[in-house]
Amino acid sequence: MPQSHPRPYGTLAVVGAAALGVVLAACSGGGPAPKASDLSSADRAKVSTGGTLRWALDAEPTTLNTFQADATPDTALLAEAVLPTLFTLDQHADATPDPDYLTGVEQTSQQPQTIVYHLNPKAVWSDGKPLSAADFAAQWQALNGRSSAYWTARTDGYDSISSVSQGAGPHDVKVVFAKPYAAWKGLFTPLYPAAATGTADAFNDGSRTRLAADSGPFTLSGLKDLKALDGAAVTAVRNPHWWGAPAKLDAIAFTPAAPDTRLAALRAGKLDVADLSRAVEDGTPVAQAASVPGTVLHRASAPAFLQLTLNGGSGPLADPDLRRAVAQAVDRTAIAEAVLKPLGLPVLPLGNHLVMADQHGYEDDSSALAPGADNATRHLDAAGWHLAAAPAGDAAHRAPAAAPVRTKDGRPLGLTLLIRTGSAEDVQVAKLLTDQLGRIGVPLRTVTVAGDSFFADHVAAGSFDLALFSWPAAAFPVADELPLYAKPAVQPDGSLNNGQNLSATGTDEVDQLLAKAAAALDPSEAARLTTEADTRIWQEAPSLPLFQRPQLVAVRTGVANAGAFGFTAPHFQDLGFTGH
């Protein structure tokens, strides 16, 4: 897939943090609440010291640099264990400074926006050097997009920064922004040492297979090169130079195990923590996932959602009236119930494109679309798409009559739906969508496409009417999602550049609202603008968020403080075993 296009959840890199690092209003509405996390929680004092925890990865990471195009969620997981995280997220994605790395942080000015980080004087890299402004400055220079020599997949808010320098003391870092950036709490996480980002060679190649230094409760100091592993576990060991509460475990063996092999590996006692979400999505009965002897299946909402994208750039759905009518006919509650109820999770259709249901600031704005089959029917009729007489059935052969189809100016209406090969869940949702659209006279033909060509050859190329895929949620909503809804730009030759907007439709108003929300430093103003932007997105109908994805994680009995984390990150120093 071209680097300029965004990434689907679970197949390529995790979308980096960027946007409103603020606490917004609580979730609205009186419906069921999402299950934000589900852990095998235990007090640290009850966790034994020692042992190796075997944690399943999808595959051996191809890079240790989370900012590169081929970084994966596994890359991010390793980084969380061995690199500085300046802010930690709770289950609602609220950010607080991590005291192991920051003794404090303050915004000292709004014009220009200025942030001063007070680093923990005890915080050091594994080579003995203290964390310093030099590390921040090198990472900013690598990620601000001003030099094409750095092969970075995104610039996040680093392109909004005008300077990074040492503050008043040796452990102070002063960051000045050229334009307001409300997402500043998502920057410099993970933080890499200057040796890993200070030059293009170090950033592009040096940090792919090894780290010049790390700084966490665990370390990869014994790992010489990822290339030498050849599918073996990536082992992080207790960091002897860690200044905080020491890790309970001796080591974590991050073990490559494809989703379809994990149940067998769990039964054989070869894994202690394994995400089974993909296996269940691909057709493994949840009862099987929940009945592995000696394990507990933890269930929560993932920081991701399933969405239906409508192609507004070409084909029938480029007609905005038709696109909205098709979107109105989708019964998202029925789809959420069919998928989530059997998994033991609350049935909650997602009502926001920008904020997940378990994040503060969530509002269900879906009423702006005026959903419902009756509304869809009225709008189709008004747009000139009328039901044609249905062909009669073949009574002699007892063939049922064909469903009536809508036509306009003699043209019959028919749409295609792209889904991924191997996903039983996609097949289930496709059948529901086919039935729902069929009721209003819109035939839907499902086309199954292999994962390696789904985006590059079809979605990114605009070769689809409807496409079903999962999408990662932004831990700090809005700024990172701006490109996904940005109005396509007109090129000098008159053609359109859709950028990362897969629906190829947008408005100036949505662009302006999202830009203002991303720059709003006042939490209440940011919340108001976010809700207004999402309301306008619903009315434009570029996509439909269906439901927040389930996260199903099997954890071996006796393993403490692991499970379905949702937006939270593992507190790695507290992971371990009880009863040993």
Side-chain angles (χ1 to χ4, degrees):
M1 185 169 64
Q3 181 173 315
S4 60
H5 291 288
R7 299 148 192 192
Y9 173 75
T11 57
L12 295 177
V14 164
V15 170
L20 308 174
V22 295
V23 178
L24 303 178
C27 299
S28 64
K35 196 171 185 180
S37 65
D38 181 18
L39 307 180
S40 57
S41 300
D43 187 87
R44 177 180 167 83
K46 297 180 180 179
V47 181
S48 302
T49 299
T52 297
L53 183 73
R54 298 159 300 175
W55 194 315
L57 300 182
D58 282 340
E60 176 191 319
T62 57
T63 180
L64 293 172
N65 186 341
T66 63
F67 297 103
Q68 292 183 334
D70 57 343
T72 67
D74 293 333
T75 303
L77 180 63
L78 286 172
E80 288 171 345
V82 302
L83 289 171
T85 299
L86 300 188
F87 289 82
T88 58
L89 301 180
D90 67 10
Q91 63 180 357
H92 301 299
D94 288 336
T96 55
D98 187 333
D100 285 326
Y101 298 106
L102 295 175
T103 59
V105 62
E106 55 191 323
Q107 181 170 290
T108 59
S109 170
Q110 286 199 4
Q111 295 182 344
Q113 182 185 3
T114 304
I115 306 297
V116 177
Y117 299 87
H118 303 289
L119 297 174
N120 186 333
K122 297 179 181 179
V124 296
W125 298 103
S126 54
D127 60 7
K129 295 180 180 178
L131 274 63
S132 71
D135 304 308
F136 284 70
Q139 187 154 318
W140 165 56
Q141 295 285 5
L143 298 175
N144 62 22
R146 298 175 190 174
S147 172
S148 60
Y150 290 89
W151 300 341
T152 176
R154 59 188 188 275
T155 58
D156 287 345
Y158 296 96
D159 56 358
S160 298
I161 295 173
S162 60
S163 67
V164 176
S165 61
Q166 183 175 308
H171 303 293
D172 299 329
V173 182
K174 182 180 180 181
V175 177
V176 180
F177 289 80
K179 56 183 179 180
Y181 187 71
W184 61 270
K185 291 182 182 178
L187 299 178
F188 303 106
T189 292
L191 180 68
Y192 285 82
T197 58
T199 67
D201 285 344
F203 183 90
N204 299 339
D205 297 318
S207 60
R208 289 189 64 82
T209 61
R210 61 181 300 273
L211 291 176
D214 51 26
S215 179
F218 289 88
T219 177
L220 295 176
S221 60
L223 175 65
K224 300 302 180 184
D225 199 306
L226 275 178
K227 295 176 182 177
L229 289 174
D230 194 23
V234 181
T235 302
V237 299
R238 185 188 294 115
N239 184 359
H241 303 296
W242 176 248
W243 56 94
K248 289 288 187 174
L249 290 167
D250 292 329
I252 304 175
F254 293 102
T255 307
D260 61 352
T261 68
R262 293 183 183 180
L263 271 178
L266 284 165
R267 291 191 182 105
K270 296 180 179 179
L271 293 173
D272 300 309
V273 179
D275 192 319
L276 300 180
S277 308
R278 178 65 183 273
V280 171
E281 179 187 343
D282 289 349
T284 298
V286 69
Q288 287 187 22
S291 62
V292 178
T295 71
V296 174
L297 186 67
H298 294 267
R299 314 171 202 222
S301 296
F305 60 100
L306 185 68
Q307 80 167 22
L308 181 68
T309 294
L310 295 83
N311 184 358
S314 61
L317 298 182
D319 176 353
D321 292 327
L322 177 58
R323 188 174 65 252
R324 294 187 191 104
V326 168
Q328 286 176 317
V330 175
D331 186 342
R332 297 179 307 109
T333 299
I335 292 172
E337 182 173 18
V339 175
L340 299 178
K341 190 174 183 179
L343 302 181
L345 289 169
V347 175
L348 184 67
L350 185 61
N352 201 299
H353 294 80
L354 306 170
V355 185
M356 294 296 97
D358 51 357
Q359 288 179 282
H360 285 129
Y362 174 79
E363 296 281 348
D364 185 343
D365 302 318
S366 60
S367 61
L369 181 64
D374 291 342
N375 286 338
T377 297
R378 284 195 294 271
H379 287 133
L380 286 170
D381 290 338
W385 290 98
H386 300 293
L387 283 174
D394 186 344
H397 295 87
R398 297 185 179 179
V405 176
R406 290 186 179 270
T407 63
K408 183 177 183 179
D409 300 327
R411 294 181 292 114
L413 178 58
L415 302 175
T416 59
L417 169 66
L418 291 186
I419 65 171
R420 296 156 299 146
T421 300
S423 173
E425 181 184 280
D426 279 10
V427 171
Q428 179 186 24
V429 174
K431 289 179 179 177
L432 291 169
L433 289 169
T434 300
D435 180 60
Q436 292 170 6
L437 295 184
R439 294 174 197 164
I440 62 166
V442 180
L444 188 63
R445 180 173 64 92
T446 298
V447 177
T448 303
V449 179
D452 55 357
S453 65
F454 185 91
F455 276 86
D457 298 336
H458 294 83
V459 178
S463 181
F464 72 100
D465 293 326
L466 301 166
L468 190 67
F469 52 86
S470 294
W471 202 252
F476 301 90
V478 177
D480 203 44
E481 296 154 322
L482 252 163
L484 307 181
Y485 301 101
K487 182 180 177 181
V490 180
Q491 304 288 81
D493 64 359
S495 64
L496 293 178
N497 178 6
N498 299 330
Q500 296 183 31
N501 185 339
L502 299 178
S503 72
T505 183
T507 68
D508 292 332
E509 184 183 21
V510 168
D511 288 355
Q512 292 163 6
L513 286 168
L514 289 176
K516 290 178 180 178
L521 301 182
D522 175 70
S524 60
E525 178 69 1
R528 183 188 67 80
L529 290 165
T530 300
T531 296
E532 189 173 349
D534 184 54
T535 298
R536 298 295 182 267
I537 293 171
W538 275 104
Q539 293 169 345
E540 186 67 15
S543 62
L544 293 178
L546 299 178
F547 57 81
Q548 202 165 338
R549 289 217 54 83
Q551 188 176 58
L552 309 170
V553 181
V555 177
R556 193 161 301 284
T557 304
V559 171
N561 299 316
F565 289 95
F567 275 103
T568 65
H571 202 237
F572 284 93
Q573 52 267 58
D574 293 344
L575 289 170
F577 299 94
T578 57
H580 285 196

